[in-house]
Short mmCIF file of all heavy atoms in Angstrom, two decimals:
data_model
loop_
_atom_site.label_atom_id
_atom_site.label_comp_id
_atom_site.label_asym_id
_atom_site.label_seq_id
_atom_site.Cartn_x
_atom_site.Cartn_y
_atom_site.Cartn_z
N MET A 1 108.23 81.39 119.50
CA MET A 1 107.42 80.18 119.68
C MET A 1 107.49 79.76 121.15
O MET A 1 108.55 79.74 121.76
CB MET A 1 107.98 79.06 118.78
CG MET A 1 107.25 77.73 118.94
SD MET A 1 108.09 76.37 118.06
CE MET A 1 107.50 76.61 116.38
N LYS A 2 106.30 79.43 121.69
CA LYS A 2 106.25 78.93 123.07
C LYS A 2 105.78 77.47 123.06
O LYS A 2 104.93 77.10 122.25
CB LYS A 2 105.27 79.76 123.90
CG LYS A 2 105.76 81.16 124.18
CD LYS A 2 104.81 81.86 125.14
CE LYS A 2 105.09 83.35 125.26
NZ LYS A 2 106.45 83.67 125.66
N ALA A 3 106.34 76.67 123.93
CA ALA A 3 105.98 75.26 124.02
C ALA A 3 105.44 74.94 125.40
O ALA A 3 106.01 75.37 126.41
CB ALA A 3 107.20 74.39 123.74
N THR A 4 104.36 74.19 125.43
CA THR A 4 103.87 73.65 126.69
C THR A 4 103.45 72.19 126.47
O THR A 4 103.13 71.80 125.35
CB THR A 4 102.66 74.43 127.24
OG1 THR A 4 101.68 74.54 126.22
CG2 THR A 4 103.04 75.82 127.70
N VAL A 5 103.48 71.42 127.55
CA VAL A 5 103.03 70.03 127.52
C VAL A 5 101.82 69.93 128.43
O VAL A 5 101.87 70.36 129.59
CB VAL A 5 104.14 69.08 128.00
CG1 VAL A 5 103.65 67.64 127.98
CG2 VAL A 5 105.39 69.24 127.14
N ASN A 6 100.75 69.39 127.92
CA ASN A 6 99.54 69.32 128.74
C ASN A 6 99.44 67.97 129.48
O ASN A 6 100.32 67.11 129.38
CB ASN A 6 98.29 69.65 127.91
CG ASN A 6 97.90 68.57 126.91
OD1 ASN A 6 98.18 67.39 127.11
ND2 ASN A 6 97.25 68.99 125.84
N GLU A 7 98.34 67.79 130.21
CA GLU A 7 98.20 66.65 131.11
C GLU A 7 97.95 65.34 130.38
O GLU A 7 97.91 64.28 131.02
CB GLU A 7 97.07 66.93 132.12
CG GLU A 7 95.66 66.97 131.54
CD GLU A 7 95.33 68.28 130.82
OE1 GLU A 7 96.17 69.22 130.85
OE2 GLU A 7 94.25 68.36 130.20
N ASP A 8 97.84 65.38 129.06
CA ASP A 8 97.64 64.13 128.31
C ASP A 8 98.94 63.34 128.13
O ASP A 8 98.91 62.19 127.69
CB ASP A 8 97.05 64.43 126.93
CG ASP A 8 95.61 64.94 127.02
OD1 ASP A 8 94.95 64.65 128.03
OD2 ASP A 8 95.16 65.62 126.07
N CYS A 9 100.08 63.96 128.43
CA CYS A 9 101.38 63.30 128.22
C CYS A 9 101.41 61.94 128.91
O CYS A 9 100.99 61.80 130.06
CB CYS A 9 102.50 64.19 128.77
SG CYS A 9 104.13 63.41 128.72
N ILE A 10 101.94 60.93 128.18
CA ILE A 10 102.08 59.59 128.74
C ILE A 10 103.55 59.23 129.00
O ILE A 10 103.87 58.08 129.33
CB ILE A 10 101.44 58.53 127.81
CG1 ILE A 10 102.03 58.62 126.39
CG2 ILE A 10 99.93 58.68 127.78
CD1 ILE A 10 101.64 57.47 125.46
N GLY A 11 104.45 60.20 128.81
CA GLY A 11 105.86 59.99 129.14
C GLY A 11 106.59 59.05 128.22
O GLY A 11 107.53 58.37 128.63
N CYS A 12 106.20 59.02 126.95
CA CYS A 12 106.83 58.07 126.01
C CYS A 12 108.28 58.44 125.69
O CYS A 12 109.04 57.60 125.24
CB CYS A 12 106.02 57.98 124.73
SG CYS A 12 106.19 59.41 123.64
N GLY A 13 108.65 59.70 125.87
CA GLY A 13 110.03 60.12 125.66
C GLY A 13 110.36 60.58 124.26
O GLY A 13 111.49 61.02 124.00
N LEU A 14 109.42 60.49 123.36
CA LEU A 14 109.71 60.85 121.96
C LEU A 14 110.13 62.32 121.83
O LEU A 14 111.09 62.62 121.12
CB LEU A 14 108.48 60.59 121.09
CG LEU A 14 108.73 60.87 119.62
CD1 LEU A 14 109.02 59.58 118.87
CD2 LEU A 14 107.54 61.57 118.99
N CYS A 15 109.45 63.19 122.50
CA CYS A 15 109.77 64.62 122.35
C CYS A 15 111.16 64.92 122.89
O CYS A 15 111.89 65.73 122.31
CB CYS A 15 108.72 65.50 123.01
SG CYS A 15 108.48 65.16 124.75
N GLU A 16 111.54 64.26 123.98
CA GLU A 16 112.87 64.49 124.54
C GLU A 16 113.95 64.04 123.57
O GLU A 16 114.97 64.71 123.41
CB GLU A 16 113.02 63.77 125.88
CG GLU A 16 114.32 64.08 126.60
CD GLU A 16 114.48 63.28 127.87
OE1 GLU A 16 114.33 62.03 127.83
OE2 GLU A 16 114.74 63.89 128.90
N SER A 17 113.72 62.91 122.89
CA SER A 17 114.75 62.47 121.95
C SER A 17 114.72 63.29 120.66
O SER A 17 115.76 63.50 120.04
CB SER A 17 114.66 60.97 121.65
OG SER A 17 113.36 60.52 121.58
N THR A 18 113.57 63.81 120.28
CA THR A 18 113.47 64.62 119.05
C THR A 18 113.98 66.04 119.27
O THR A 18 114.66 66.60 118.40
CB THR A 18 112.01 64.68 118.56
OG1 THR A 18 111.51 63.35 118.43
CG2 THR A 18 111.89 65.41 117.24
N ALA A 19 113.66 66.61 120.39
CA ALA A 19 114.02 68.01 120.66
C ALA A 19 114.52 68.16 122.10
O ALA A 19 113.87 68.75 122.95
CB ALA A 19 112.81 68.91 120.42
N PRO A 20 115.73 67.64 122.37
CA PRO A 20 116.24 67.66 123.74
C PRO A 20 116.53 69.06 124.26
O PRO A 20 116.66 69.26 125.47
CB PRO A 20 117.53 66.82 123.66
CG PRO A 20 117.91 66.83 122.22
CD PRO A 20 116.64 66.96 121.43
N GLU A 21 116.62 70.05 123.35
CA GLU A 21 116.83 71.43 123.80
C GLU A 21 115.53 72.02 124.36
O GLU A 21 115.54 73.06 125.01
CB GLU A 21 117.28 72.34 122.65
CG GLU A 21 118.37 71.78 121.76
CD GLU A 21 117.86 70.94 120.59
OE1 GLU A 21 116.71 70.41 120.66
OE2 GLU A 21 118.60 70.80 119.61
N VAL A 22 114.42 71.35 124.05
CA VAL A 22 113.12 71.95 124.37
C VAL A 22 112.37 71.15 125.44
O VAL A 22 111.73 71.74 126.31
CB VAL A 22 112.24 72.04 123.09
CG1 VAL A 22 110.92 72.73 123.40
CG2 VAL A 22 112.99 72.75 121.97
N PHE A 23 112.46 69.82 125.38
CA PHE A 23 111.66 68.98 126.28
C PHE A 23 112.55 68.05 127.10
O PHE A 23 113.56 67.56 126.60
CB PHE A 23 110.67 68.12 125.47
CG PHE A 23 109.75 68.92 124.60
CD1 PHE A 23 109.95 69.01 123.22
CD2 PHE A 23 108.67 69.61 125.16
CE1 PHE A 23 109.11 69.76 122.41
CE2 PHE A 23 107.82 70.37 124.36
CZ PHE A 23 108.04 70.45 122.98
N ALA A 24 112.14 67.80 128.31
CA ALA A 24 112.84 66.85 129.18
C ALA A 24 111.80 66.08 129.98
O ALA A 24 110.77 66.64 130.37
CB ALA A 24 113.80 67.57 130.10
N ILE A 25 112.09 64.81 130.21
CA ILE A 25 111.24 64.01 131.08
C ILE A 25 111.61 64.35 132.53
O ILE A 25 112.77 64.27 132.91
CB ILE A 25 111.44 62.50 130.82
CG1 ILE A 25 111.11 62.13 129.36
CG2 ILE A 25 110.59 61.68 131.79
CD1 ILE A 25 109.64 62.26 128.98
N GLY A 26 110.62 64.72 133.31
CA GLY A 26 110.87 65.12 134.69
C GLY A 26 110.83 63.95 135.65
O GLY A 26 110.61 62.80 135.26
N ASP A 27 111.01 64.25 136.93
CA ASP A 27 110.98 63.24 137.98
C ASP A 27 109.63 62.53 138.04
O ASP A 27 109.53 61.42 138.55
CB ASP A 27 111.28 63.87 139.34
CG ASP A 27 112.71 64.36 139.44
OD1 ASP A 27 113.56 63.89 138.64
OD2 ASP A 27 112.98 65.20 140.30
N ASP A 28 108.61 63.19 137.53
CA ASP A 28 107.27 62.58 137.51
C ASP A 28 107.09 61.63 136.34
O ASP A 28 106.02 61.05 136.16
CB ASP A 28 106.20 63.68 137.48
CG ASP A 28 106.35 64.64 136.30
OD1 ASP A 28 107.27 64.41 135.46
OD2 ASP A 28 105.57 65.60 136.20
N GLY A 29 108.13 61.48 135.50
CA GLY A 29 108.03 60.57 134.37
C GLY A 29 107.32 61.15 133.18
O GLY A 29 107.10 60.46 132.18
N LEU A 30 106.97 62.42 133.25
CA LEU A 30 106.26 63.08 132.16
C LEU A 30 107.13 64.20 131.58
O LEU A 30 108.04 64.71 132.23
CB LEU A 30 104.94 63.67 132.68
CG LEU A 30 103.98 62.64 133.31
CD1 LEU A 30 102.75 63.36 133.88
CD2 LEU A 30 103.56 61.57 132.30
N ALA A 31 106.82 64.55 130.34
CA ALA A 31 107.61 65.57 129.65
C ALA A 31 107.20 66.97 130.11
O ALA A 31 106.03 67.24 130.42
CB ALA A 31 107.41 65.44 128.15
N HIS A 32 108.20 67.85 130.12
CA HIS A 32 107.97 69.26 130.41
C HIS A 32 108.82 70.09 129.47
O HIS A 32 109.89 69.66 129.05
CB HIS A 32 108.37 69.57 131.86
CG HIS A 32 107.61 68.77 132.86
ND1 HIS A 32 106.37 69.14 133.31
CD2 HIS A 32 107.87 67.58 133.44
CE1 HIS A 32 105.92 68.22 134.15
NE2 HIS A 32 106.80 67.25 134.24
N ALA A 33 108.35 71.28 129.16
CA ALA A 33 109.16 72.21 128.40
C ALA A 33 110.27 72.71 129.32
O ALA A 33 110.00 73.12 130.45
CB ALA A 33 108.31 73.36 127.90
N ILE A 34 111.51 72.62 128.86
CA ILE A 34 112.65 73.08 129.68
C ILE A 34 112.51 74.58 129.91
O ILE A 34 112.64 75.07 131.02
CB ILE A 34 113.98 72.74 128.97
CG1 ILE A 34 114.12 71.23 128.84
CG2 ILE A 34 115.15 73.35 129.73
CD1 ILE A 34 115.25 70.80 127.92
N GLU A 35 112.26 75.31 128.82
CA GLU A 35 111.92 76.72 128.93
C GLU A 35 110.73 76.95 128.02
O GLU A 35 110.69 76.40 126.92
CB GLU A 35 113.08 77.60 128.47
CG GLU A 35 114.22 77.62 129.48
CD GLU A 35 115.28 78.65 129.08
OE1 GLU A 35 114.92 79.80 128.81
OE2 GLU A 35 116.44 78.26 129.03
N GLU A 36 109.80 77.74 128.47
CA GLU A 36 108.59 77.92 127.69
C GLU A 36 108.91 78.51 126.31
O GLU A 36 108.33 78.12 125.31
CB GLU A 36 107.64 78.84 128.45
CG GLU A 36 106.23 78.83 127.89
CD GLU A 36 105.32 79.82 128.62
OE1 GLU A 36 105.66 80.20 129.76
OE2 GLU A 36 104.30 80.19 128.05
N GLU A 37 109.85 79.44 126.27
CA GLU A 37 110.21 80.06 125.00
C GLU A 37 111.20 79.16 124.27
O GLU A 37 112.27 78.87 124.78
CB GLU A 37 110.83 81.45 125.26
CG GLU A 37 111.05 82.28 124.01
CD GLU A 37 109.75 82.74 123.37
OE1 GLU A 37 108.81 83.10 124.10
OE2 GLU A 37 109.67 82.72 122.13
N VAL A 38 110.83 78.69 123.09
CA VAL A 38 111.66 77.77 122.32
C VAL A 38 112.78 78.55 121.64
O VAL A 38 112.50 79.53 120.96
CB VAL A 38 110.82 77.04 121.25
CG1 VAL A 38 111.68 76.14 120.38
CG2 VAL A 38 109.69 76.24 121.91
N PRO A 39 114.04 78.12 121.81
CA PRO A 39 115.13 78.79 121.07
C PRO A 39 114.86 78.69 119.57
O PRO A 39 114.38 77.67 119.09
CB PRO A 39 116.38 77.98 121.46
CG PRO A 39 116.00 77.20 122.68
CD PRO A 39 114.52 77.02 122.63
N GLU A 40 115.18 79.76 118.84
CA GLU A 40 114.86 79.79 117.42
C GLU A 40 115.45 78.60 116.68
O GLU A 40 114.80 78.00 115.82
CB GLU A 40 115.38 81.11 116.82
CG GLU A 40 114.52 81.61 115.67
CD GLU A 40 114.92 83.02 115.25
OE1 GLU A 40 114.89 83.91 116.11
OE2 GLU A 40 115.27 83.19 114.06
N ALA A 41 116.67 78.21 117.03
CA ALA A 41 117.34 77.11 116.35
C ALA A 41 116.66 75.77 116.60
O ALA A 41 116.89 74.80 115.87
CB ALA A 41 118.80 77.04 116.80
N ALA A 42 115.81 75.70 117.62
CA ALA A 42 115.15 74.43 117.96
C ALA A 42 113.69 74.39 117.53
O ALA A 42 112.99 73.42 117.82
CB ALA A 42 115.26 74.20 119.47
N GLU A 43 113.24 75.42 116.82
CA GLU A 43 111.82 75.47 116.46
C GLU A 43 111.39 74.31 115.56
O GLU A 43 110.31 73.75 115.73
CB GLU A 43 111.49 76.82 115.79
CG GLU A 43 111.45 77.96 116.81
CD GLU A 43 110.96 79.27 116.23
OE1 GLU A 43 110.72 79.34 115.00
OE2 GLU A 43 110.83 80.23 117.01
N ASP A 44 112.24 73.95 114.58
CA ASP A 44 111.87 72.84 113.69
C ASP A 44 111.77 71.54 114.48
O ASP A 44 110.85 70.74 114.26
CB ASP A 44 112.90 72.70 112.57
CG ASP A 44 112.78 73.80 111.52
OD1 ASP A 44 111.80 74.58 111.59
OD2 ASP A 44 113.67 73.89 110.66
N ALA A 45 112.72 71.32 115.39
CA ALA A 45 112.69 70.10 116.20
C ALA A 45 111.46 70.09 117.11
O ALA A 45 110.83 69.05 117.29
CB ALA A 45 113.98 70.00 117.02
N ALA A 46 111.12 71.25 117.65
CA ALA A 46 109.93 71.34 118.51
C ALA A 46 108.68 71.01 117.72
O ALA A 46 107.79 70.30 118.20
CB ALA A 46 109.84 72.73 119.13
N GLN A 47 108.62 71.51 116.49
CA GLN A 47 107.46 71.23 115.64
C GLN A 47 107.39 69.74 115.32
O GLN A 47 106.31 69.13 115.34
CB GLN A 47 107.55 72.05 114.35
CG GLN A 47 106.32 71.91 113.46
CD GLN A 47 105.06 72.47 114.12
OE1 GLN A 47 105.03 73.63 114.52
NE2 GLN A 47 104.03 71.65 114.28
N GLU A 48 108.56 69.15 115.05
CA GLU A 48 108.60 67.71 114.75
C GLU A 48 108.13 66.89 115.95
O GLU A 48 107.36 65.93 115.82
CB GLU A 48 110.03 67.32 114.35
CG GLU A 48 110.16 65.93 113.78
CD GLU A 48 111.61 65.56 113.44
OE1 GLU A 48 112.41 66.47 113.13
OE2 GLU A 48 111.91 64.37 113.49
N ALA A 49 108.57 67.29 117.14
CA ALA A 49 108.14 66.60 118.36
C ALA A 49 106.63 66.74 118.54
O ALA A 49 105.94 65.77 118.89
CB ALA A 49 108.88 67.17 119.56
N CYS A 50 106.14 67.94 118.29
CA CYS A 50 104.69 68.19 118.42
C CYS A 50 103.92 67.30 117.45
O CYS A 50 102.94 66.65 117.84
CB CYS A 50 104.43 69.66 118.13
SG CYS A 50 102.70 70.12 118.19
N ASP A 51 104.38 67.23 116.21
CA ASP A 51 103.69 66.43 115.20
C ASP A 51 103.76 64.94 115.55
O ASP A 51 102.85 64.18 115.20
CB ASP A 51 104.32 66.65 113.82
CG ASP A 51 104.09 68.06 113.30
OD1 ASP A 51 103.20 68.76 113.84
OD2 ASP A 51 104.80 68.48 112.36
N GLY A 52 104.85 64.52 116.21
CA GLY A 52 105.04 63.10 116.48
C GLY A 52 104.45 62.62 117.79
O GLY A 52 104.34 61.41 118.01
N CYS A 53 104.06 63.54 118.65
CA CYS A 53 103.53 63.13 119.96
C CYS A 53 102.29 62.26 119.76
O CYS A 53 101.32 62.69 119.13
CB CYS A 53 103.19 64.35 120.79
SG CYS A 53 102.42 63.91 122.37
N PRO A 54 102.29 61.05 120.33
CA PRO A 54 101.19 60.10 120.07
C PRO A 54 99.86 60.51 120.70
O PRO A 54 98.81 60.00 120.31
CB PRO A 54 101.69 58.78 120.65
CG PRO A 54 102.71 59.18 121.67
CD PRO A 54 103.35 60.44 121.14
N VAL A 55 99.91 61.42 121.68
CA VAL A 55 98.66 61.81 122.35
C VAL A 55 98.38 63.31 122.21
O VAL A 55 97.55 63.88 122.91
CB VAL A 55 98.67 61.41 123.84
CG1 VAL A 55 98.64 59.89 123.98
CG2 VAL A 55 99.87 61.99 124.56
N THR A 56 99.11 63.95 121.27
CA THR A 56 98.90 65.38 120.98
C THR A 56 98.94 66.22 122.26
O THR A 56 98.09 67.09 122.49
CB THR A 56 97.56 65.61 120.24
OG1 THR A 56 97.24 64.45 119.46
CG2 THR A 56 97.64 66.79 119.30
N ALA A 57 99.95 65.95 123.08
CA ALA A 57 100.05 66.67 124.37
C ALA A 57 100.88 67.94 124.28
O ALA A 57 100.93 68.70 125.24
CB ALA A 57 100.64 65.73 125.41
N ILE A 58 101.54 68.17 123.15
CA ILE A 58 102.41 69.33 123.01
C ILE A 58 101.65 70.46 122.32
O ILE A 58 101.04 70.24 121.28
CB ILE A 58 103.68 68.97 122.21
CG1 ILE A 58 104.49 67.93 122.97
CG2 ILE A 58 104.52 70.22 121.93
CD1 ILE A 58 105.65 67.36 122.18
N GLU A 59 101.70 71.62 122.94
CA GLU A 59 101.07 72.79 122.34
C GLU A 59 102.15 73.82 122.02
O GLU A 59 102.97 74.15 122.86
CB GLU A 59 100.03 73.37 123.31
CG GLU A 59 98.85 72.41 123.51
CD GLU A 59 97.98 72.76 124.72
OE1 GLU A 59 98.10 73.87 125.24
OE2 GLU A 59 97.18 71.89 125.10
N LEU A 60 102.13 74.27 120.79
CA LEU A 60 103.07 75.32 120.35
C LEU A 60 102.27 76.53 119.90
O LEU A 60 101.25 76.38 119.23
CB LEU A 60 103.90 74.82 119.16
CG LEU A 60 104.79 73.59 119.37
CD1 LEU A 60 105.44 73.18 118.05
CD2 LEU A 60 105.86 73.87 120.43
N ASP A 61 102.73 77.71 120.29
CA ASP A 61 102.15 78.90 119.69
C ASP A 61 103.11 80.07 119.75
O ASP A 61 104.22 79.94 120.20
CB ASP A 61 100.79 79.27 120.28
CG ASP A 61 100.77 79.31 121.80
OD1 ASP A 61 101.84 79.49 122.40
OD2 ASP A 61 99.71 79.14 122.37
S1 LIG B 1 105.97 62.87 122.88
FE1 LIG B 1 104.04 63.48 123.88
S2 LIG B 1 103.46 61.74 125.17
FE2 LIG B 1 105.60 61.45 124.57
S3 LIG B 1 106.74 62.32 126.32
FE3 LIG B 1 106.50 63.93 124.77
S4 LIG B 1 104.65 65.07 125.35
FE4 LIG B 1 104.63 63.11 126.44
#
């Protein structure tokens, strides 16, 4: 599974708190995937973050 955050992110922080192994808020105040390839153990959390993102900025494939 690969994770990316697109330009719609508003920096709410939800994904970082839901899946801290996958997403982090950067110096720009917006979320970024820490590593594009999601660790297998974090896939459920990544999916939960994706589902919960208020602006649908997280893309998983
Ligand atoms: S949950 Fe969505 S809007 Fe909020 S910080 Fe993460 S990617 Fe950005």
